[in-house]
């Protein structure tokens, strides 16, 4: 019911999953001072994890929110299944792969139409393969802030 100010200060790789549908009144205004990604209303019915890829479902669409695995090469799924319901993976959240320095390649399906800021920040060894023929308009201008090489129109 309460979180104090600067509670997660300095937690530079943190992704926050909250069961509450929005910020409760008892949480200090600076509780998330480091501006870490927050996903509200998360339960077992809308959270999924496989091979270190963490997803949440919001508004019927799956968002890849964080990578915590150890694989060096990833092929993202275009759909996930939670409780026998399929969801299209349409987004990669802000900072989802940040600081994954051992990650060398990722294939992004063309179902991904949105990528948040700094999604691949400090991924110093990464090469990105996108099924889309060019950058979709919904990808944040800072999605590839570390300027990793990108190959477009890749068929997996």
């Amino acid at each position: 019911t309460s979180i104090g100010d600067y509670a997660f200060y300095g937690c530079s790789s943190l992704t926050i999953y909250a069961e509450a549908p929005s910020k409760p009144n008892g949480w200090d205004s600076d509780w998330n001072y480091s501006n870490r990604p927050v996903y509200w209303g998360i339960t077992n019915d809308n959270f999924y994890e496989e091979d270190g890829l963490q997803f949440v479902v919001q508004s019927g669409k799956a968002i890849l929110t964080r990578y915590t695995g150890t694989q060096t090469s990833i092929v993202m799924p275009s759909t996930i299944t939670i409780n026998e319901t399929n969801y299209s993976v349409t987004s990669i959240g802000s900072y989802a792969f940040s600081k994954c320095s051992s990650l060398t390649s990722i294939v992004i399906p063309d179902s991904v139409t949105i990528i948040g800021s700094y999604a691949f920040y400090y991924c110093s060894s990464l090469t990105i393969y996108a099924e889309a023929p060019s950058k979709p308009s919904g990808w944040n201008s800072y999605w590839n802030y570390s300027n990793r090489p990108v190959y477009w129109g890749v068929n997996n």
Side-chain angles (χ1 to χ4, degrees):
T1 59
S2 67
I3 295 181
D5 60 342
Y6 307 101
F8 303 110
Y9 182 75
C11 297
S12 61
S13 295
L14 181 66
T15 298
I16 301 166
Y17 301 101
E19 287 183 1
S22 62
K23 183 178 98 49
N25 291 336
W27 294 16
D28 188 272
S29 60
D30 286 328
W31 74 277
N32 188 13
Y33 184 78
S34 295
N35 199 30
R36 301 310 309 151
V38 181
Y39 297 92
W40 300 100
I42 305 305
T43 67
N44 287 335
D45 292 330
N46 64 355
F47 180 84
Y48 177 79
E49 181 173 5
E50 183 176 313
D51 297 328
L53 294 169
Q54 297 177 346
F55 299 88
V56 299
V57 174
Q58 294 182 332
S59 302
K61 309 278 183 170
I63 304 165
L64 193 155
T65 57
R66 186 78 186 133
Y67 178 63
T68 61
T70 58
Q71 298 175 11
T72 58
S73 182
I74 296 172
V75 176
M76 278 184 57
S78 58
T79 59
I80 62 168
T81 304
I82 302 174
N83 298 328
E84 300 179 19
T85 302
N86 294 328
Y87 299 97
S88 180
V89 177
T90 60
S91 305
I92 298 174
S94 296
Y95 298 97
F97 291 93
S98 69
K99 299 184 181 179
C100 292
S101 59
S102 62
L103 190 58
T104 59
S105 71
I106 186 168
V107 177
I108 301 172
D110 61 3
S111 62
V112 174
T113 57
I114 298 169
I115 296 183
S117 58
Y118 308 104
F120 301 101
Y121 193 55
Y122 283 118
C123 294
S124 56
S125 302
L126 182 63
T127 299
I128 301 166
Y129 300 93
E131 290 180 356
S134 62
K135 181 176 110 32
S137 62
W139 292 19
N140 183 282
S141 58
Y142 294 112
W143 75 277
N144 186 13
Y145 186 79
S146 296
N147 200 30
R148 301 310 309 148
V150 181
Y151 294 92
W152 299 100
V154 174
N155 291 322
N156 187 30

